[in-house]
Amino acid sequence: EVDFDTVDSHFIVSEYMKLISNIKGNVILFTHSISGSFGFKLVEILGEKISKVVAVEPSMFGNIQEKVVPSLETPEKVIANFKGLDFELDMTKSSLPTQKVIDRFTTINDNSKKLFPKNKEEYIKNYINSLVPLHPKLLYELFNIGGSKLKIDDFSKLKKTKFLIISSPDDPLHKEEDPKIVEKLKSENISVEYWKDGSHGTFGNSHMMMVEKNNQDIFNEIDSWIKKN
């Protein structure tokens, strides 16, 4: 068991670096959401060992993310607003997401969206029961409080890896953030393809497209991209 005070983004990246380094041959890395910044940093460290990255609505690297200033910060508690949602972080323990956060990142309670398996209570219950407590330091860094988010120190080390960035057209946060990631990668002459605005079958999906009804169709599109690149 890992000591609570040890956990942060750098620790996560370090442990995945060890895992990937022990795999023979090159690796295709899938990232999603909070793990997006971990993936970018792993490519910087491991270079072409990671031949391709499929990043589904990834969190951005700290180089281009706006810093969040908390309204309250003590060793035990941090209160901050991140993209319109108020968060109260208990820095002494890991916590499950609130219902507001679940609703924000899924289509469960939004009848205007059509792809999360609504009207099947067992699916919704299984999804919620699959969620695990998240360490507060990871959220603290995700929000980039005090400039704590992982940063890329040398973008040239990403140039031998191909990136695919996928956005949900129905996720307002990533419709805003993902283009900034793509723009930065392109400005550094890094190979990146961007699926947006419902392209490649993602129309109507939420942030959790991998558990929605058309997940296999989206995966087939991703598989085609991997084989072509």
Side-chain angles (χ1 to χ4, degrees):
E1 184 176 342
V2 178
D3 182 74
F4 182 84
D5 293 334
T6 300
V7 177
D8 62 10
S9 297
H10 293 280
F11 172 77
I12 300 293
V13 168
S14 175
E15 293 302 298
Y16 271 104
M17 180 188 67
K18 296 173 188 176
L19 174 65
I20 294 171
S21 296
N22 287 326
I23 298 173
K24 292 183 179 179
N26 292 339
V27 168
I28 299 169
L29 184 66
F30 278 67
T31 67
H32 171 246
S33 193
I34 189 173
S35 69
S37 60
F38 306 160
F40 294 121
K41 193 66 180 179
L42 281 165
V43 174
E44 181 185 17
I45 295 168
L46 295 172
E48 59 188 318
K49 172 72 175 178
I50 302 175
S51 60
K52 302 177 185 71
V53 173
V54 177
V56 179
E57 302 218 302
S59 62
M60 57 174 55
F61 23 81
N63 309 62
I64 60 173
Q65 182 172 329
E66 181 181 354
K67 294 180 183 178
V68 166
V69 178
S71 58
L72 173 70
E73 182 169 8
T74 71
E76 295 80 26
K77 182 191 295 186
V78 175
I79 298 176
N81 185 283
F82 180 64
K83 302 299 181 181
L85 277 182
D86 292 321
F87 288 85
E88 183 173 319
L89 305 181
D90 183 342
M91 302 304 293
T92 68
K93 64 179 183 180
S94 298
S95 302
L96 286 165
T98 64
Q99 190 62 49
K100 283 186 177 180
V101 172
I102 293 171
D103 292 345
R104 164 64 180 78
F105 288 110
T106 70
T107 63
I108 290 176
N109 290 332
D110 186 346
N111 291 327
S112 70
K113 307 296 189 293
K114 59 183 181 296
L115 291 170
F116 195 89
K118 296 185 299 295
N119 304 320
K120 293 195 175 181
E121 292 184 5
E122 69 272 24
Y123 290 166
I124 296 173
K125 182 178 179 181
N126 288 342
Y127 168 70
I128 292 176
N129 287 342
S130 74
L131 301 176
V132 297
L134 190 61
H135 195 287
K137 191 64 180 292
L138 299 181
L139 285 173
Y140 185 97
E141 294 169 346
L142 172 67
F143 301 161
N144 201 25
I145 295 175
S148 57
K149 187 73 172 285
L150 283 173
K151 297 177 179 64
I152 302 300
D153 299 311
D154 185 355
F155 280 92
S156 69
K157 293 184 178 179
L158 280 64
K159 289 187 175 181
K160 293 186 178 181
T161 299
K162 294 184 177 181
F163 291 84
L164 171 61
I165 311 292
I166 305 174
S167 295
S168 163
D170 288 293
D171 186 334
L173 170 60
H174 283 274
K175 284 182 70 173
E176 172 189 329
E177 291 202 342
D178 293 353
K180 296 177 183 177
I181 298 173
V182 174
E183 180 182 4
K184 178 60 177 175
L185 294 177
K186 287 184 175 179
S187 74
E188 298 287 347
N189 297 313
I190 293 165
S191 174
V192 57
E193 184 171 334
Y194 183 33
W195 293 358
K196 60 176 183 175
D197 298 332
S199 61
H200 299 269
T202 61
F203 179 77
N205 285 100
S206 77
H207 186 63
M208 301 302 297
M209 62 181 73
M210 68 288 300
V211 297
E212 293 175 329
K213 288 182 180 179
N214 61 336
N215 56 2
Q216 185 64 56
D217 295 333
I218 296 174
F219 177 79
N220 290 340
E221 291 284 327
I222 294 170
D223 185 53
S224 295
W225 179 85
I226 290 171
K227 289 174 179 175
K228 291 176 182 177
N229 289 276

